[in-house]
Amino acid sequence: MKNITDIPTLNLGTGMAQETLLRRITHSIRQSLELEDIITATTAEVRSLLGTDRVMIYRFNGDQSGQVIAESIYENRLPSLLGLNFPADDIPLHAREMFIQSRVRSVVNVDSQQIGQSSVSNLAREDNRYEDIYYRPVDPCHVEYLTAMGVKSSVVAPIIHEDQLWGLLVSHHSQAREVVEYELDAMQMVVEQLSVAIAHSNLLAQTRARAEREAIVNRIATLLHSLPTIVLEPALEAAVTAFHGVGGRLCLRDNAFDLIHSTFKSLPECLIPGSDRIRVYTYGQQPVIPESNIYPLLEQYSVWQEHYKTGKYDVWAIDDIYQNPNLRIVQLAFKPTKIRSILMIPLHYRQQLVGYLSIFRNEIDTETLWAGQFDPDNRQLYPRLSFEIWRESKHGQPQNWTHEEIELATDISKHFASAIQQYELYQQVQGFNDSLEKQVQKRTLEMRRTGEQQQAVFGVINKIRESLDTNTIFQTTTKEVCQLIKADRVSVYRFSADWGGEFVGDFEAASPNWFNESKLGINTIWNDTYLQDTEGGRYRYNETFAVDDIYKMGFAPCHVDNLEQFQIHAFVLAPIFVGKKLWGLLCSYQHSGPRQWKETEINFISQIAGQLGVAIQQANLLIKTQQQAEEITHALHNLQATQAQLIQTEKMSSLGQLVAGVAHEINNPVNFICGNLVHINEYSEDLMKILNLYQQELSEPSDEILEASEEIDLEFLMEDFPKTLSSMKVGVDRIRQIVLSLRSFSRLDEAEMKDVNIHEGIDSTLLILQHRLKARPENKGIEVIKEYGNLPLVDCYAGQLNQVFMNVLSNAIDALENYRVPESETPHHCQITIKTRVGEVNNIKTAIITIADNGPGMVGGLASRVFDPFFTTKPVGKGTGLGLSISYQIVVEKHSGILKCNSQPGIGTEFWIEIPIKQIITEG
């Protein structure tokens, strides 16, 4: 971090100072995306620039109070306010509204009792204009406020982010000082750059938070799905830790499966007092249930069932259990503890509540550092007399749940619910196994096969989860299911927007019992009118449909014909849900003949369909995350390119203005000299005529005249004087040509596209660079060879194209100046060859300009990277890597042309510029 004393003080009255400030702030933003580093550097830069005693950044909180988050003080002339909070009343509502609506900058002079305000007008335009400072008497309370703070001069500029008042940039001085508009302009540039930095920092924070949330979800998902028999205690501990809780509970229905009716008891049924169909896992601090209570478990309290009786299973975030009158009965259980906040997470699978996950947080003690003591319960009527630190301590405060934590809880609940569903399936298998021990050998064998098939479920699930590529998932699922249940074919069918659809996955078992003439397979479209009319039919209600024989189901003849077309005699169709949306069907077909599907096979297919939906959802989430990452990267690259282009464009604009100004100033005296040379030439001719007449009339001049004529060498003077005048005219004409070339290079009056003589632009650029082409003691000079073709006028942006010539020629000169050949070799003559000619691309006439040097050239793949932003082959400090990048945008994007670079080591480098002679204007 740069020390304050190392930052030079600039004169705000110059544009160079403002540009230097903007460059420093921009450099700080590029160096780091950490907002704290940026604002710390910014306050130091602005304080040094303004020369005031204190510059600070004040950020508003959600309750409109604020805090000083960055500060720079000169030699402790004012006390530090860093980290201190200010109440909302310190900045009235009408002042905040003026900051937002008009971007008002406020200037206060305590000695003169005046407050000045300057607004930013024309906010809808890019070229914001700043109005003059208008002064009026300042409110006495405001004067007392600043006086108590030790401030005689104050300047405030609002920091706007997303059309909201994010904070203030404040300059304080202990002595009265005059504030000029240049300072307000500089501060305005700073707050605009800070708005960009805030946006960058927020984007970075969101990305980090998203990545952290995904890491937490993945870590818990790994714990939940690591074993076929779910181990829930580590996952509960990880969830409590993720929310910085002090304890948590996981309440699940247990042994809820009814073997006789093949149904699960609902969670409210399992939570009836005295029921043994509930299982609770705990971690950390827990509520203390009173002994006299009829509910031994927290989850048995009716408040939870009442809250979720509508069937909308959202996360219930309770910031303070003692502020909710509906939780009075629950408060008794938490009174002996310091638990103050509860996050109740319902666990549901396919609209069925299977348990509760609850997270507890303790109450906390808070301490807020205020700038001076004030009464937070009443409006501050008078200014404070002291701004020394006042510590406001509060005991037993709740920790509020954030929106991000609620979203995280929602994501975690899905994985817990999925794991619990697997756990219930495992319980179901265990129940069947217990029943098998009491039955005959045949039943025992059948149930054993059921257990093996359930293990196959986990095996298929594990193989599905080995990949997040949907095609791989479809291939694995269809193959594994087809081989395990020994079906003729297993396919994955996806619904389209109109509830038609096509097959996206397929596996066909090799069988000698039938011959497939139906061509059923991937990309086969099958639009069932029943499914289209009913928008998914029975499958939208999560029903699995099994048919043993299509001829015994009473299907309509057209439906039977359709099935016969694909040689389907029996099938099982299970719905695939992605989230709550019916995505498609997992289809198992028997082509060789009818088949009596077993209940276990149907359940197996249904379970795999459910897991397939989870896998598809995870794959889609991965794709979405990757796309978001690519969008963020692309946006960052675009921002960097835009910043680079703005800097280079501003430099070339300044150069053009400077050249045009110099040309204009030279043009006036040159025109004066050129106009008077005509008269001087006439006067000299008249004098010569008179002198000849005198010589003719005075054939014998006096000795004094003869002596004077010899002394001034009259004959030579009469002969050389006209030549001198002619030489002066040639010199003046040369100066006028130089002025015209300078004006041609600047092209300030030619911002629009027009027909231009390309050769004039090249010549004017060469004239600007003439001082670098001439021989000097340390350099033998560079020869320019021009081989101009017969080019017509070219439709282009002249000033921008001259910028391209300047960048390419400057790079060629740099390469030749730094080129040194060994003394033993033949002396190297540095040359730049410029050729022009007419070309043609797709029947469109083009102007081709090649600029080649015989310098060292470039090795490897450097030539392919010269147009990348910030890439340079020059030594550190010699180049920015922006010139050729901007040139590429001018030629390719602005002129629909071609700019390429060919280079060979030891031979040289050639730049090829080709643009259409006539630009094609597209409509729309």
Side-chain angles (χ1 to χ4, degrees):
M1 186 66 64
K2 185 181 293 184
N3 192 289
I4 296 177
T5 59
D6 297 336
I7 302 175
T9 301
L10 300 176
N11 181 9
L12 275 177
T14 66
M16 184 64 70
Q18 297 180 19
E19 182 180 351
T20 302
L21 172 63
L22 183 59
R23 190 184 308 115
R24 286 178 179 174
I25 301 300
T26 304
H27 179 67
S28 298
I29 293 175
R30 288 180 180 169
Q31 273 191 328
S32 172
L33 287 176
E34 301 296 338
L35 185 59
E36 183 177 354
D37 297 340
I38 293 172
I39 61 178
T40 302
T42 300
T43 53
E45 294 283 1
V46 175
R47 194 210 54 73
S48 177
L49 180 64
L50 299 179
T52 54
D53 293 336
R54 175 171 59 206
V55 171
M56 64 185 186
I57 293 179
Y58 177 93
R59 181 176 63 190
F60 286 98
N61 299 321
D63 60 356
Q64 297 304 318
S65 66
Q67 184 184 37
V68 177
I69 62 173
E71 180 184 63
S72 175
I73 301 177
Y74 181 68
E75 294 183 350
N76 296 322
R77 289 186 179 179
L78 289 174
S80 175
L81 299 176
L82 184 63
L84 300 187
N85 290 268
F86 292 76
D89 294 339
D90 281 15
I91 301 178
L93 178 61
H94 69 85
R96 292 196 294 269
E97 291 177 348
M98 291 178 63
F99 282 139
I100 296 174
Q101 295 175 1
S102 302
R103 308 295 199 265
V104 167
R105 285 83 53 83
S106 173
V107 180
V108 178
N109 189 317
V110 174
D111 288 349
S112 65
Q113 306 282 301
Q114 294 287 315
I115 179 171
Q117 294 180 339
S118 174
S119 303
V120 181
S121 61
N122 297 326
L123 293 175
R125 298 175 50 184
E126 294 181 0
D127 53 339
N128 295 339
R129 297 179 181 177
Y130 312 114
E131 298 180 352
D132 296 336
I133 306 175
Y134 297 98
Y135 287 91
R136 60 173 174 80
V138 67
D139 189 288
C141 290
H142 197 169
V143 172
E144 292 181 26
Y145 187 91
L146 293 176
T147 302
M149 194 180 286
V151 175
K152 291 295 186 69
S153 175
S154 170
V155 184
V156 179
I159 303 173
I160 306 299
H161 174 58
E162 294 182 350
D163 295 330
Q164 298 294 323
L165 184 59
W166 183 90
L168 303 173
L169 177 63
V170 183
S171 171
H172 285 161
H173 201 62
S174 59
Q175 301 296 327
R177 64 188 298 271
E178 181 182 359
V179 178
V180 295
E181 294 183 9
Y182 295 124
E183 295 177 337
L184 294 182
D185 293 346
M187 292 183 69
Q188 186 64 33
M189 288 191 299
V190 171
V191 297
E192 289 172 357
Q193 289 297 319
L194 282 174
S195 296
V196 176
I198 293 167
H200 291 180
S201 178
N202 289 346
L203 183 60
L204 176 63
Q206 292 172 6
T207 304
R208 287 176 174 172
R210 187 183 300 110
E212 182 180 358
R213 187 165 64 246
E214 291 174 356
I216 292 172
V217 172
N218 290 336
R219 183 164 59 251
I220 293 176
T222 301
L223 292 173
L224 287 170
H225 301 293
S226 58
L227 296 173
T229 54
I230 307 302
V231 181
L232 296 169
E233 290 89 343
L236 172 61
E237 180 180 351
V240 173
T241 304
F243 291 98
H244 306 289
V246 296
R249 297 170 62 88
L250 181 61
C251 177
L252 313 174
R253 63 184 185 184
D254 184 46
N255 295 322
F257 184 72
D258 188 343
L259 291 175
I260 299 176
H261 301 95
S262 296
T263 58
F264 279 99
K265 287 186 177 295
S266 66
L267 182 63
E269 291 176 321
C270 295
L271 283 171
I272 295 175
S275 172
D276 60 350
R277 297 184 180 274
I278 206 72
R279 179 171 296 186
V280 177
Y281 302 88
T282 61
Y283 172 76
Q285 296 185 24
Q286 298 295 313
V288 180
I289 306 298
E291 294 182 0
S292 59
N293 201 316
I294 62 172
Y295 301 120
L297 297 177
L298 176 69
E299 291 76 13
Q300 292 176 329
Y301 284 48
S302 60
V303 62
W304 317 117
Q305 299 176 27
E306 286 293 324
H307 185 78
Y308 291 114
K309 67 181 180 181
T310 61
K312 187 176 181 181
Y313 301 121
D314 294 332
V315 175
W316 188 6
I318 305 171
D319 295 328
D320 190 344
I321 59 177
Y322 299 108
Q323 297 299 320
N324 191 329
N326 296 327
L327 299 177
R328 290 176 180 174
I329 189 172
V330 178
Q331 295 170 5
L332 296 175
F334 289 96
K335 278 290 185 182
T337 72
K338 291 187 176 182
I339 296 174
R340 193 67 172 262
S341 304
I342 303 177
L343 193 65
M344 181 59 70
I345 307 170
L347 307 178
H348 60 97
Y349 186 83
R350 295 182 178 179
Q351 297 301 314
Q352 188 175 15
L353 193 62
V354 297
Y356 294 115
L357 170 63
S358 51
I359 309 294
F360 306 139
R361 278 181 178 171
N362 277 349
E363 61 186 20
I364 58 173
D365 297 334
T366 62
E367 183 180 69
T368 305
L369 303 180
W370 294 96
Q373 186 173 1
F374 77 103
D375 187 353
D377 295 326
N378 298 306
R379 180 177 177 84
Q380 193 80 13
L381 298 179
Y382 300 100
R384 294 189 297 282
L385 300 179
S386 171
F387 287 84
E388 294 185 0
I389 297 177
W390 178 60
R391 302 177 183 272
E392 180 187 17
S393 298
K394 294 183 178 181
H395 301 284
Q397 299 298 305
Q399 302 182 58
N400 295 338
W401 303 103
T402 65
H403 177 71
E404 290 75 13
E405 289 175 329
I406 296 174
E407 287 186 346
L408 175 61
T410 303
D411 294 339
I412 290 176
S413 69
K414 296 177 182 177
H415 289 278
F416 267 97
S418 175
I420 292 167
Q421 187 263 351
Q422 293 181 8
Y423 178 71
E424 289 184 337
L425 290 177
Y426 179 75
Q427 286 182 312
Q428 179 182 348
V429 174
Q430 290 297 102
F432 279 121
N433 290 336
D434 293 340
S435 179
L436 285 174
E437 296 177 357
K438 303 176 182 178
Q439 297 180 7
V440 296
Q441 184 65 31
K442 179 179 179 180
R443 184 65 175 168
T444 302
L445 179 61
E446 182 179 349
M447 294 305 296
R448 183 181 302 168
R449 290 175 179 174
T450 301
E452 293 173 354
Q453 197 165 48
Q454 290 303 319
Q455 294 299 325
V457 171
F458 296 119
V460 174
I461 292 172
N462 290 333
K463 289 184 179 180
I464 292 175
R465 290 177 179 161
E466 290 177 355
S467 173
L468 287 176
D469 176 69
T470 53
N471 291 332
T472 303
I473 292 172
F474 297 153
Q475 293 173 3
T476 302
T477 303
T478 54
K479 180 180 179 180
E480 291 295 325
V481 173
C482 187
Q483 293 177 346
L484 285 171
I485 66 174
K486 295 179 174 56
D488 290 337
R489 181 190 298 277
V490 174
S491 305
V492 176
Y493 178 82
R494 179 176 60 194
F495 285 112
S496 59
D498 62 352
W499 294 98
E502 63 176 337
F503 290 95
V504 296
D506 183 74
F507 182 80
E508 174 187 350
S511 174
N513 299 324
W514 65 284
F515 179 70
N516 185 10
E517 297 177 347
S518 63
K519 305 300 181 184
L520 180 64
I522 297 177
N523 298 328
T524 300
I525 297 175
W526 190 338
N527 294 326
D528 190 306
T529 56
Y530 167 74
L531 295 179
Q532 290 179 306
D533 293 340
T534 60
E535 297 184 352
R538 58 168 57 86
Y539 306 110
R540 62 184 302 182
Y541 302 107
N542 199 23
E543 293 184 16
T544 299
F545 187 39
V547 174
D548 297 338
D549 190 342
I550 63 172
Y551 301 108
K552 296 180 180 180
M553 293 297 297
F555 291 144
C558 59
H559 188 36
V560 173
D561 292 341
N562 199 13
L563 294 172
E564 287 179 341
Q565 178 185 353
F566 297 104
Q567 297 187 3
I568 297 174
H569 294 275
F571 60 85
V572 176
L573 304 180
I576 301 172
F577 281 85
V578 175
K580 297 181 181 179
K581 181 179 179 181
L582 178 59
W583 180 90
L585 302 172
L586 180 60
C587 313
S588 178
Y589 295 119
Q590 200 69 18
H591 298 289
S592 56
R595 171 171 176 171
Q596 185 175 359
W597 301 99
K598 299 178 181 178
E599 188 69 25
T600 54
E601 294 173 336
I602 298 173
N603 290 336
F604 172 76
I605 296 173
S606 177
Q607 295 164 19
I608 297 300
Q611 292 301 319
L612 183 57
V614 175
I616 295 172
Q617 186 176 24
Q618 292 175 342
N620 292 340
L621 180 61
L622 175 64
I623 295 173
K624 183 177 180 182
T625 303
Q626 292 173 340
Q627 291 174 345
Q628 290 175 344
E630 292 175 359
E631 290 173 0
I632 293 172
T633 303
H634 181 66
L636 183 58
H637 289 169
N638 287 344
L639 180 60
Q640 292 175 339
T642 302
Q643 291 175 336
Q645 186 172 2
L646 287 174
I647 294 171
Q648 185 70 1
T649 302
E650 184 64 24
K651 289 181 179 178
M652 291 308 299
S653 175
S654 300
L655 176 61
Q657 293 176 0
L658 175 63
V659 169
V662 171
H664 178 73
E665 294 301 325
I666 295 175
N667 197 42
N668 289 334
V670 169
N671 288 338
F672 174 78
I673 295 172
C674 183
N676 287 327
L677 278 177
V678 176
H679 302 296
I680 292 174
N681 191 46
E682 293 176 355
Y683 298 159
S684 65
E685 291 177 355
D686 294 340
L687 289 174
M688 291 298 179
K689 290 179 182 180
I690 295 298
L691 185 59
N692 287 331
L693 289 176
Y694 272 111
Q695 288 178 339
Q696 292 174 7
E697 293 291 332
L698 297 175
S699 57
E700 294 182 0
S702 63
D703 293 339
E704 184 177 357
I705 293 175
L706 291 175
E707 182 179 351
S709 298
E710 291 179 358
E711 182 177 350
I712 65 176
D713 197 354
L714 181 60
E715 292 182 1
F716 175 77
L717 187 148
M718 294 177 64
E719 178 183 356
D720 190 58
F721 187 55
K723 295 179 181 179
T724 302
L725 291 176
S726 177
S727 176
M728 292 175 64
K729 186 175 185 306
V730 172
V732 170
D733 290 340
R734 178 60 177 160
I735 294 175
R736 295 184 70 185
Q737 291 176 359
I738 292 174
V739 171
L740 290 174
S741 297
L742 290 174
R743 294 185 63 188
S744 175
F745 175 79
S746 66
R747 297 283 187 178
L748 293 179
D749 55 345
E750 298 180 8
E752 300 296 330
M753 186 171 286
K754 62 183 293 185
D755 292 336
V756 174
N757 188 328
I758 294 294
H759 296 155
E760 288 184 359
I762 298 175
D763 292 340
S764 65
T765 306
L766 289 172
L767 182 63
I768 300 297
L769 297 171
Q770 188 65 35
H771 68 286
R772 298 188 62 189
L773 298 171
K774 293 180 179 180
R776 299 190 297 274
E778 69 278 6
N779 199 315
K780 294 182 179 180
I782 300 173
E783 179 185 3
V784 178
I785 302 173
K786 295 187 286 187
E787 299 180 8
Y788 290 168
N790 187 17
L791 279 184
L793 297 180
V794 178
D795 191 18
C796 65
Y797 296 102
Q800 295 185 9
L801 207 57
N802 286 346
Q803 180 180 348
V804 175
F805 297 150
M806 173 66 75
N807 287 331
V808 175
L809 287 170
S810 297
N811 282 332
I813 294 172
D814 290 340
L816 292 172
E817 284 180 344
N818 298 326
Y819 190 29
R820 299 290 184 271
V821 297
E823 296 181 358
S824 60
E825 297 183 6
T826 304
H828 184 264
H829 300 286
C830 297
Q831 293 180 343
I832 296 177
T833 304
I834 305 174
K835 299 180 181 180
T836 63
R837 63 183 175 88
V838 176
E840 184 174 338
V841 177
N842 296 329
N843 297 325
I844 299 176
K845 297 293 185 181
T846 60
I848 300 175
I849 306 101
T850 61
I851 301 175
D853 64 71
N854 61 346
M858 289 179 281
V859 298
L862 295 181
S864 63
R865 299 183 59 197
V866 295
F867 301 118
D868 295 343
F870 306 105
F871 175 79
T872 179
T873 59
K874 300 175 184 178
V876 177
K878 297 294 184 181
T880 63
L882 296 176
L884 291 179
S885 173
I886 300 300
S887 299
Y888 186 85
Q889 294 179 356
I890 291 172
V891 174
V892 177
E893 297 179 8
K894 292 294 185 65
H895 292 86
S896 301
I898 299 172
L899 177 58
K900 57 185 178 181
C901 174
N902 298 316
S903 183
Q904 297 183 21
I907 297 179
T909 302
E910 179 187 68
F911 283 88
W912 176 290
I913 304 170
E914 183 174 3
I915 62 174
I917 294 177
K918 294 295 182 181
Q919 293 289 329
I920 300 176
I921 301 177
T922 59
E923 297 181 355

PDB file of all heavy atoms in Angstrom, residues 91-103:
ATOM      1  N   ILE A  91     -27.765  12.760   8.733  1.00  0.00           N
ATOM      2  CA  ILE A  91     -27.938  13.160   7.332  1.00  0.00           C
ATOM      3  C   ILE A  91     -29.428  13.075   7.045  1.00  0.00           C
ATOM      4  O   ILE A  91     -29.971  11.985   6.845  1.00  0.00           O
ATOM      5  CB  ILE A  91     -27.137  12.251   6.390  1.00  0.00           C
ATOM      6  CG1 ILE A  91     -25.654  12.300   6.750  1.00  0.00           C
ATOM      7  CG2 ILE A  91     -27.340  12.659   4.933  1.00  0.00           C
ATOM      8  CD1 ILE A  91     -24.789  11.404   5.896  1.00  0.00           C
ATOM      9  N   PRO A  92     -30.137  14.209   7.023  1.00  0.00           N
ATOM     10  CA  PRO A  92     -31.603  14.188   6.878  1.00  0.00           C
ATOM     11  C   PRO A  92     -32.034  13.522   5.575  1.00  0.00           C
ATOM     12  O   PRO A  92     -31.267  13.405   4.616  1.00  0.00           O
ATOM     13  CB  PRO A  92     -31.980  15.682   6.900  1.00  0.00           C
ATOM     14  CG  PRO A  92     -30.801  16.384   7.514  1.00  0.00           C
ATOM     15  CD  PRO A  92     -29.607  15.570   7.161  1.00  0.00           C
ATOM     16  N   LEU A  93     -33.300  13.122   5.572  1.00  0.00           N
ATOM     17  CA  LEU A  93     -33.854  12.431   4.414  1.00  0.00           C
ATOM     18  C   LEU A  93     -33.811  13.305   3.167  1.00  0.00           C
ATOM     19  O   LEU A  93     -33.493  12.840   2.076  1.00  0.00           O
ATOM     20  CB  LEU A  93     -35.304  12.003   4.710  1.00  0.00           C
ATOM     21  CG  LEU A  93     -36.041  11.293   3.559  1.00  0.00           C
ATOM     22  CD1 LEU A  93     -35.320  10.012   3.180  1.00  0.00           C
ATOM     23  CD2 LEU A  93     -37.473  10.999   3.974  1.00  0.00           C
ATOM     24  N   HIS A  94     -34.131  14.619   3.316  1.00  0.00           N
ATOM     25  CA  HIS A  94     -34.141  15.486   2.123  1.00  0.00           C
ATOM     26  C   HIS A  94     -32.742  15.623   1.530  1.00  0.00           C
ATOM     27  O   HIS A  94     -32.579  15.753   0.310  1.00  0.00           O
ATOM     28  CB  HIS A  94     -34.724  16.856   2.479  1.00  0.00           C
ATOM     29  CG  HIS A  94     -33.836  17.675   3.396  1.00  0.00           C
ATOM     30  ND1 HIS A  94     -32.808  18.475   2.941  1.00  0.00           N
ATOM     31  CD2 HIS A  94     -33.835  17.792   4.751  1.00  0.00           C
ATOM     32  CE1 HIS A  94     -32.224  19.068   3.974  1.00  0.00           C
ATOM     33  NE2 HIS A  94     -32.814  18.667   5.080  1.00  0.00           N
ATOM     34  N   ALA A  95     -31.705  15.577   2.382  1.00  0.00           N
ATOM     35  CA  ALA A  95     -30.335  15.648   1.861  1.00  0.00           C
ATOM     36  C   ALA A  95     -29.987  14.387   1.085  1.00  0.00           C
ATOM     37  O   ALA A  95     -29.368  14.443   0.012  1.00  0.00           O
ATOM     38  CB  ALA A  95     -29.360  15.857   3.012  1.00  0.00           C
ATOM     39  N   ARG A  96     -30.405  13.222   1.608  1.00  0.00           N
ATOM     40  CA  ARG A  96     -30.124  11.976   0.892  1.00  0.00           C
ATOM     41  C   ARG A  96     -30.842  11.958  -0.455  1.00  0.00           C
ATOM     42  O   ARG A  96     -30.309  11.462  -1.456  1.00  0.00           O
ATOM     43  CB  ARG A  96     -30.533  10.781   1.740  1.00  0.00           C
ATOM     44  CG  ARG A  96     -29.666  10.598   2.983  1.00  0.00           C
ATOM     45  CD  ARG A  96     -29.847   9.214   3.583  1.00  0.00           C
ATOM     46  NE  ARG A  96     -31.183   9.000   4.111  1.00  0.00           N
ATOM     47  CZ  ARG A  96     -31.560   9.252   5.369  1.00  0.00           C
ATOM     48  NH1 ARG A  96     -30.678   9.733   6.211  1.00  0.00           N
ATOM     49  NH2 ARG A  96     -32.786   9.006   5.766  1.00  0.00           N
ATOM     50  N   GLU A  97     -32.087  12.473  -0.479  1.00  0.00           N
ATOM     51  CA  GLU A  97     -32.824  12.495  -1.739  1.00  0.00           C
ATOM     52  C   GLU A  97     -32.148  13.397  -2.766  1.00  0.00           C
ATOM     53  O   GLU A  97     -32.093  13.074  -3.954  1.00  0.00           O
ATOM     54  CB  GLU A  97     -34.258  12.971  -1.483  1.00  0.00           C
ATOM     55  CG  GLU A  97     -35.090  11.960  -0.686  1.00  0.00           C
ATOM     56  CD  GLU A  97     -36.475  12.481  -0.372  1.00  0.00           C
ATOM     57  OE1 GLU A  97     -36.711  13.695  -0.572  1.00  0.00           O
ATOM     58  OE2 GLU A  97     -37.318  11.676   0.082  1.00  0.00           O
ATOM     59  N   MET A  98     -31.599  14.535  -2.328  1.00  0.00           N
ATOM     60  CA  MET A  98     -30.867  15.419  -3.258  1.00  0.00           C
ATOM     61  C   MET A  98     -29.605  14.736  -3.779  1.00  0.00           C
ATOM     62  O   MET A  98     -29.253  14.872  -4.954  1.00  0.00           O
ATOM     63  CB  MET A  98     -30.508  16.732  -2.565  1.00  0.00           C
ATOM     64  CG  MET A  98     -31.705  17.622  -2.249  1.00  0.00           C
ATOM     65  SD  MET A  98     -31.217  19.126  -1.391  1.00  0.00           S
ATOM     66  CE  MET A  98     -30.184  19.897  -2.622  1.00  0.00           C
ATOM     67  N   PHE A  99     -28.933  13.997  -2.905  1.00  0.00           N
ATOM     68  CA  PHE A  99     -27.741  13.260  -3.335  1.00  0.00           C
ATOM     69  C   PHE A  99     -28.090  12.274  -4.443  1.00  0.00           C
ATOM     70  O   PHE A  99     -27.334  12.102  -5.405  1.00  0.00           O
ATOM     71  CB  PHE A  99     -27.125  12.506  -2.153  1.00  0.00           C
ATOM     72  CG  PHE A  99     -26.313  13.390  -1.230  1.00  0.00           C
ATOM     73  CD1 PHE A  99     -26.389  13.229   0.142  1.00  0.00           C
ATOM     74  CD2 PHE A  99     -25.483  14.372  -1.738  1.00  0.00           C
ATOM     75  CE1 PHE A  99     -25.657  14.028   0.996  1.00  0.00           C
ATOM     76  CE2 PHE A  99     -24.742  15.182  -0.884  1.00  0.00           C
ATOM     77  CZ  PHE A  99     -24.830  15.026   0.475  1.00  0.00           C
ATOM     78  N   ILE A 100     -29.253  11.617  -4.309  1.00  0.00           N
ATOM     79  CA  ILE A 100     -29.622  10.575  -5.273  1.00  0.00           C
ATOM     80  C   ILE A 100     -30.157  11.179  -6.566  1.00  0.00           C
ATOM     81  O   ILE A 100     -29.737  10.826  -7.667  1.00  0.00           O
ATOM     82  CB  ILE A 100     -30.682   9.623  -4.653  1.00  0.00           C
ATOM     83  CG1 ILE A 100     -30.085   8.887  -3.443  1.00  0.00           C
ATOM     84  CG2 ILE A 100     -31.171   8.624  -5.683  1.00  0.00           C
ATOM     85  CD1 ILE A 100     -31.100   8.041  -2.700  1.00  0.00           C
ATOM     86  N   GLN A 101     -31.092  12.124  -6.446  1.00  0.00           N
ATOM     87  CA  GLN A 101     -31.811  12.617  -7.618  1.00  0.00           C
ATOM     88  C   GLN A 101     -30.960  13.541  -8.473  1.00  0.00           C
ATOM     89  O   GLN A 101     -30.981  13.457  -9.699  1.00  0.00           O
ATOM     90  CB  GLN A 101     -33.086  13.338  -7.175  1.00  0.00           C
ATOM     91  CG  GLN A 101     -34.096  12.418  -6.494  1.00  0.00           C
ATOM     92  CD  GLN A 101     -35.289  13.167  -5.948  1.00  0.00           C
ATOM     93  OE1 GLN A 101     -35.381  14.381  -6.081  1.00  0.00           O
ATOM     94  NE2 GLN A 101     -36.211  12.452  -5.314  1.00  0.00           N
ATOM     95  N   SER A 102     -30.199  14.445  -7.843  1.00  0.00           N
ATOM     96  CA  SER A 102     -29.445  15.445  -8.611  1.00  0.00           C
ATOM     97  C   SER A 102     -27.938  15.272  -8.508  1.00  0.00           C
ATOM     98  O   SER A 102     -27.189  16.076  -9.048  1.00  0.00           O
ATOM     99  CB  SER A 102     -29.828  16.855  -8.135  1.00  0.00           C
ATOM    100  OG  SER A 102     -31.202  17.082  -8.269  1.00  0.00           O
ATOM    101  N   ARG A 103     -27.502  14.232  -7.797  1.00  0.00           N
ATOM    102  CA  ARG A 103     -26.056  14.019  -7.603  1.00  0.00           C
ATOM    103  C   ARG A 103     -25.407  15.282  -7.013  1.00  0.00           C
ATOM    104  O   ARG A 103     -24.349  15.722  -7.461  1.00  0.00           O
ATOM    105  CB  ARG A 103     -25.356  13.647  -8.910  1.00  0.00           C
ATOM    106  CG  ARG A 103     -25.978  12.493  -9.687  1.00  0.00           C
ATOM    107  CD  ARG A 103     -25.899  11.185  -8.922  1.00  0.00           C
ATOM    108  NE  ARG A 103     -26.068  10.030  -9.811  1.00  0.00           N
ATOM    109  CZ  ARG A 103     -27.222   9.427 -10.020  1.00  0.00           C
ATOM    110  NH1 ARG A 103     -28.287   9.844  -9.392  1.00  0.00           N
ATOM    111  NH2 ARG A 103     -27.291   8.377 -10.845  1.00  0.00           N
TER     112      ARG A 103
END
